[in-house]
Amino acid sequence: MQRFVSNTSKACALLGGGLLLLIVCLTVLEVIVRRITAGSIGPVDEISGYLFAASLTLSLGYAFEQRAHIRIDILYARMPAAVRIVADLVALAAMTVFATFLLVRVWSVFATSLEAGSRSNSTLGMPLAIPQGIWVAGLAIFTAILLYYVCASIGSVATGRRSWIAAHISPPDTNEVVTTEMENVSIGKGADVQ
Amino acid sequence: MIYVTLILMLGLMVASISVAAVLGLLGLALDQLYSFFPLNRALGELAWSTSTESTMVAIPLFILLGQLMLRSGMAADMYSSMRSWLGWLPGGLMHANIGASALFAATSGSSVATAATLTTVALPEAKANGYNERLFTGTLAAGGTLGILIPPSINLILYAVMTDTSVTRLYLSAIVPGLIMALLFSLTVIAICIVRPGMGGRRMQTGWADRIRTLPGLLPPVVVFVAIVGSIYGGLATPTESAALGVAVSAAICFWRRQLTLEIVRAVLLSTMESTAMIMLIVIAASFLNFVLSGIGIVSEVTSALDATGLSPLSVMLLIIGFYVVLGCVMESLSLMIATTPVFAPVVVGLGYDPIWFGVLLMIVIEMALITPPVGMNLYVVQGVRKRGSIIDVMIGCVPFIISMFVMIVLLLAMPQIALLAR
């Protein structure tokens, strides 16, 4: 189950990344075409907005799994282990409540667009239900992932596996942050550096 | 109402609840407590308009660009070039640290990434050449903060969206203060090294042959910077379009340096989306909170509370700066900025200050938050790469640069024009 959740969130984030690359290609093409022909390949701005909205909700779950959603840990870092577990559970619950509420509100936006057959107020006239549908789906996946973690956390507390919480829910300490940051860096061959 | 809001926000945040959830739930709570009609109905629409805002699209693009530049392996070459150009100054390599940070900042919108990369490249040289390690690490932590001031800056885009100001004008206005800030850092190092020559390490001998030979090392960041800022300045592209151009150029640089493997692209995309999702969830929550705050009249209440004190605009500005400096010590800088800008920016504009100018000033206080203990991300990043000694060394090393940031703030207050050149 854990693996399924992780793979899903990663696949969604990669899909989001793919959409981002699509934005890059479309935008660069648009700038070039505009420069050369003074024309345009279409409402790239608007399409980028839709792609971005989809890419961002699709990546929310992955960001959560990477424990990237910022938490202020000034007090947390000074709490005893038992209190930390409580803080972790409260934080997880708060995030889940917020995400659920957001999903409900966002769903009604989507449902209204679908029902009314709303189209965007532009030359493209995009039926809004399409981009909003993908966007809502991303948020629904995020909420589902959060719910999975709520259940799994309760389960691990019940069975006394505290380390699971530390590994999946606790905010990464600064050493972990630095380590991840460094994984993203390639400083070069360093031939000139002593 | 102001106090309830402040206490709730700080309380929930200190309880280590995710910042996005704090802002969102605070919005819901304030709506329940103070609003006549349910403002939360608007959450869905607000989330949609924030998610599709075309200015926002620049954020993931600039993150992607920064990630690509980090992977391109250009940092070491750039650093050795900076070393041969700036190493002769009193303080030697420390100027290379600052110069390289400034240049790196010009391709990356992240202060943490800038500090992490340059510390890795530079730190091994500190010991080898007898530098005072405190001051040396101070230049790295402080230099890294330039990432959010010198364009492309992700924080400036967020500020622009939240205050409805132009990213273009903000970017063009931030260049000069960014350069002055880097210059002030360098002057600080020179002053310290003249007074205490022992801190400056072994003087380096560099010649023109060396400088010319290493010059290509500066090329990648300069090309990317010119592609971005040049296309904005030349009216060729919007900030979002310039970000896409920047991504294309940096991808080309990575390809040319044989760093563009499928595996790297995958890793770069994943970490880009991770940061994007994190930032955007906070932004969505903040846009809702912002809507509720204006709906229940917090902004006007803050303004009238400030009016009632009878303070001059300058005193109010100093109070606000003080507020940021204090809160910056204990709060993560991005969250601090997103949570407070919607309230303070209108207040400041009401006092007659220019929103562009305030944006630049805000970047400097936020930069300060990155190097003020106990919570200053850059301190931890530099120490994390250093892996020996105590973090106290880095904190002490940053003190002179915190002072130069205060000098910069005074300069901005005394001569607002330096942040308003892009009219």
Side-chain angles (χ1 to χ4, degrees), chain B residues 194-354:
Chain B
I194 286 175
V195 178
R196 305 264 307 268
M199 306 193 91
R202 198 153 44 85
R203 259 305 168 67
M204 335 206 13
Q205 298 298 325
T206 52
W208 282 99
D210 227 16
R211 288 175 197 161
I212 304 295
R213 188 179 55 81
T214 56
L215 205 55
L218 297 181
L219 215 54
V222 168
V223 168
V224 170
F225 184 70
V226 168
I228 298 167
V229 175
S231 64
I232 297 179
Y233 192 74
L236 195 65
T238 65
T240 306
E241 289 168 346
S242 80
L245 290 176
V247 170
V249 172
S250 61
I253 291 172
C254 282
F255 182 73
W256 180 58
R257 300 186 63 114
R258 298 169 197 285
Q259 297 283 340
L260 205 68
T261 62
L262 201 61
E263 195 188 340
I264 287 182
V265 170
R266 196 180 119 96
V268 161
L269 285 181
L270 279 177
S271 75
T272 300
M273 291 322 293
E274 178 189 323
S275 308
T276 305
M278 177 274 285
I279 294 174
M280 288 307 297
L281 192 62
I282 297 180
V283 171
I284 289 173
S287 73
F288 169 61
L289 177 62
N290 187 11
F291 177 75
V292 173
L293 287 181
S294 50
I296 62 176
I298 285 262
V299 174
S300 51
E301 200 163 310
V302 172
T303 311
S304 55
L306 286 172
D307 275 348
T309 59
L311 291 170
S312 69
L314 181 64
S315 318
V316 175
M317 183 52 76
L318 291 176
L319 266 182
I320 292 178
I321 293 170
F323 171 87
Y324 276 109
V325 172
V326 172
L327 226 55
C329 290
V330 296
M331 251 184 94
E332 191 277 327
S333 62
L334 183 83
S335 325
L336 172 63
M337 194 194 110
I338 298 178
T340 56
T341 305
V343 177
F344 281 133
V347 170
V348 165
V349 173
L351 290 170
Y353 288 99
D354 189 291

Side-chain angles (χ1 to χ4, degrees), chain A residues 113-126:
Chain A
S113 300
L114 189 65
E115 224 168 275
S118 322
R119 285 171 177 273
S120 69
N121 187 14
S122 66
T123 46
L124 187 65
M126 168 70 98

Side-chain angles (χ1 to χ4, degrees), chain A residues 14 24 34-35 52 55 59 66 68 70-72 75 98 101 105 109 132 135 182 184 186-188 192-193, chain B residues 14 16 18-19 24 28 40 44 48 51 60 70-71 73 76 80 83 120 125 236 241 266 273-274 278 332:
Chain A
L14 273 177
V24 174
R34 194 172 59 206
R35 186 75 193 148
F52 175 52
S55 72
S59 312
Q66 298 295 309
I70 297 179
R71 292 168 61 184
I72 309 290
L75 217 58
F98 174 56
F101 199 85
R105 286 290 172 239
V109 171
Q132 283 176 350
W135 179 64
M182 295 321 298
N184 294 330
S186 149
I187 59 166
D192 276 301
V193 178
Chain B
V14 167
S16 88
S18 320
V19 171
L28 293 174
N40 70 62
W48 175 245
S51 305
L70 286 177
R71 300 272 183 170
S80 56
R83 187 174 61 169
T120 317
E125 308 221 9
L236 195 65
E241 289 168 346
R266 196 180 119 96
M273 291 322 293
E274 178 189 323
M278 177 274 285
E332 191 277 327

Side-chain angles (χ1 to χ4, degrees), chain A residues 113-181:
Chain A
S113 300
L114 189 65
E115 224 168 275
S118 322
R119 285 171 177 273
S120 69
N121 187 14
S122 66
T123 46
L124 187 65
M126 168 70 98
L128 284 175
I130 298 172
Q132 283 176 350
I134 307 169
W135 179 64
V136 171
L139 206 57
I141 295 171
F142 176 50
T143 314
I145 289 174
L146 285 173
L147 286 173
Y148 161 73
Y149 275 100
V150 169
C151 299
S153 301
I154 294 172
S156 69
V157 170
T159 54
R161 284 179 301 138
R162 285 184 177 179
S163 59
W164 188 89
I165 303 241
H168 290 94
I169 312 290
S170 303
D173 65 28
T174 38
N175 277 330
E176 291 174 71
V177 173
V178 171
T179 316
T180 352
E181 202 66 48

Side-chain angles (χ1 to χ4, degrees), chain A residues 40-119:
Chain A
S40 165
I41 58 167
V44 172
D45 249 24
E46 187 186 341
I47 296 168
S48 299
Y50 298 147
L51 292 173
F52 175 52
S55 72
L56 99 89
T57 55
L58 283 170
S59 312
L60 286 170
Y62 179 72
F64 180 80
E65 288 222 308
Q66 298 295 309
R67 294 176 291 157
H69 292 296
I70 297 179
R71 292 168 61 184
I72 309 290
D73 62 356
I74 180 158
L75 217 58
Y76 183 90
R78 289 159 182 78
M79 289 175 186
V83 184
R84 282 191 187 189
I85 300 245
V86 176
D88 284 336
L89 293 177
V90 171
L92 175 60
M95 185 60 122
T96 311
V97 170
F98 174 56
T100 311
F101 199 85
L102 189 60
L103 179 62
V104 170
R105 286 290 172 239
V106 152
W107 174 267
S108 74
V109 171
F110 163 68
T112 313
S113 300
L114 189 65
E115 224 168 275
S118 322
R119 285 171 177 273

